C-alpha cells in the first residue's frame, strides 16, 4: 500500500511519494530522499552504521518504519558539519578514528548524542555509548581517543 506522506529531516519538509508503508526510515532516507550519509550495514539494528536521531533519540534507522516518523524531527549525519567539520568529526580525523569510514557516520552521530547529553562522560559511559556501533578497522582505540579529544576540545571552550 502506498500513501504519500511528509517527513521532516534536518529541518526540511520532504514529500515521500510512491512509498510502500513498510519501508524503513533508512531506505526512505537513502533511496527516496537521497540522503546517503546513513550507511546500510546489517539492517538488523546490530551495527549502528545507520544511526540517526528521531525526536532527539538515537535509533537505528533500519529498524524504524519511515511512516512512523511522520510528525517527528529526523536528524541525520547530513545535518552536521556542512562545510566545516564539527568538533567530533575533527577529532575522528585528527586521532585516526576514520579508516575505511563506513562506520564513521554512525559513530559520529552516537558521539554527538553522548556529548550533547553529557559533555564530560567517563570511560565506561563512552564505551557504552559507542557499543552499538561496530567498526572493523580501528580496533576502537582510535575511536576512544577521538572521543577523548572531542571532550577536551569542548572543555577548553567552556
Ligand atoms: Fe572501517 Fe570503522 S573505519 S569500519
Amino acid at each position: 500500500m502506498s500513501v504519500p506522506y511528509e517527513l521532516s529531516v534536518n529541518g526540511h519538509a520532504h514529500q515521500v511519494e510512491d512509498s510502500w508503508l513498510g519501508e524503513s526510515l533508512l531506505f526512505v532516507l537513502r533511496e527516496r530522499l537521497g540522503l546517503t550519509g546513513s550507511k546500510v550495514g546489517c539492517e538488523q539494528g546490530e551495527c549502528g552504521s545507520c544511526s540517526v536521531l528521531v525526536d532527539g533519540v538515537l535509533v537505528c534507522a533500519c529498524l524504524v518504519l519511515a511512516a512512523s516518523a511522520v510528525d517527528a524531527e529526523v536528524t541525520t549525519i547530513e545535518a552536521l558539519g556542512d562545510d566545516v567539520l564539527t568538533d567530533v568529526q575533527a577529532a575522528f580525523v585528527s586521532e585516526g578514528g576514520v579508516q575505511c569510514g563506513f562506520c564513521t557516520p554512525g559513530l559520529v552521530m552516537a558521539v554527538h548524542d553522548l556529548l550533547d547529553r553529557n559533555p564530560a562522560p567517563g570511560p565506561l559511559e563512552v564505551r557504552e555509548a559507542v557499543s552499538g556501533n561496530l567498526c572493523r578497522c580501528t580496533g576502537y582505540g582510535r575511536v576512544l581517543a577521538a572521543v577523548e579529544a572531542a571532550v577536551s576540545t569542548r572543555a577548553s571552550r567552556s
Side-chain angles (χ1 to χ4, degrees), residues 97-104 134-138:
V98 181
Q99 290 189 21
C100 81
F102 191 84
C103 68
T104 308
L134 300 185
C135 175
R136 292 183 168 189
C137 304
T138 64

Side-chain angles (χ1 to χ4, degrees), residues 110-128:
V111 174
H112 267 285
D113 176 58
L114 170 67
L115 299 189
D116 290 348
R117 290 183 287 107
N118 178 2
L124 290 180
E125 291 167 303
V126 172
R127 282 168 171 74
E128 182 179 21

